Amino acid sequence: MSFLSKEQQTQISDSISLAEKNTSGEVVLYICKKCKKDIYHYAQEIFNKKGLYKTAQRNAVLIMLSYQDHKLAVIGDEGINTIVEGDFWDDVIKHMTDNFKNNAYTEGLSEGINMIGEKLKVHFPYQSDDVNELPNEIIHED
């Protein structure tokens, strides 16, 4: 993928691992080149298609970025959505897009992932029997 270098992808995957270290929650990053649909609805489709709703506590979060279209969506499963403040996802998106405006995609994504991880840690703290239910690698759509 030419949008992010291998090093940038590794840094973002490491951010996901770090964010999940203190929580039972899961963060998934899905990157596509173009999104011909409404980004939020497409993110919901991918969330369901990839089975992200299958986590034990329903606390998975999907970040979807369509980089050529400059579209971004962040959605959480029902376990986390019922707990976070109504504007939390908007705050995460704003923080990331503020970075994107300066072409700081790696920093924006990593910081957004950290914000999500901190919120998940509060409501879904790490348990000693925690299992990483979803992969930490970036999912790419060609």
Side-chain angles (χ1 to χ4, degrees), residues 80-96:
I80 187 71
N81 271 347
T82 58
I83 295 172
V84 298
E85 304 80 18
D87 58 353
F88 177 70
W89 303 126
D90 293 335
D91 290 347
V92 171
I93 289 170
K94 181 178 180 339
H95 186 84
M96 287 193 282

Side-chain angles (χ1 to χ4, degrees), residues 6-119:
K6 204 171 204 55
E7 293 78 22
Q8 290 170 314
Q9 292 178 59
T10 299
Q11 183 180 338
I12 293 166
S13 292
D14 289 349
S15 294
I16 293 171
S17 297
L18 190 61
E20 291 181 357
K21 192 174 186 171
N22 297 309
T23 178
S24 62
E26 299 287 335
V27 180
V28 174
L29 174 59
Y30 188 96
I31 296 178
C32 59
K33 194 173 189 175
K34 286 190 167 285
C35 179
K36 295 179 174 77
K37 307 175 184 182
D38 173 79
I39 189 77
Y40 179 80
H41 289 105
Y42 189 50
Q44 198 65 55
E45 279 180 34
I46 296 299
F47 193 94
N48 293 328
K49 184 177 163 186
K50 297 289 184 185
L52 304 186
Y53 58 87
K54 294 180 181 176
T55 59
Q57 296 184 359
R58 301 292 303 263
N59 57 1
V61 177
L62 173 66
I63 301 168
M64 174 170 276
L65 173 63
S66 174
Y67 60 90
Q68 279 195 345
D69 299 322
H70 304 283
K71 295 179 183 177
L72 179 68
V74 179
I75 59 172
D77 203 352
E78 63 185 30
I80 187 71
N81 271 347
T82 58
I83 295 172
V84 298
E85 304 80 18
D87 58 353
F88 177 70
W89 303 126
D90 293 335
D91 290 347
V92 171
I93 289 170
K94 181 178 180 339
H95 186 84
M96 287 193 282
T97 55
D98 285 349
N99 278 280
F100 296 171
K101 289 173 187 169
N102 298 316
N103 286 323
Y105 287 94
T106 305
E107 295 79 4
L109 289 166
S110 294
E111 290 172 15
I113 290 163
N114 183 54
M115 289 172 72
I116 293 165
E118 288 297 314
K119 186 63 72 172

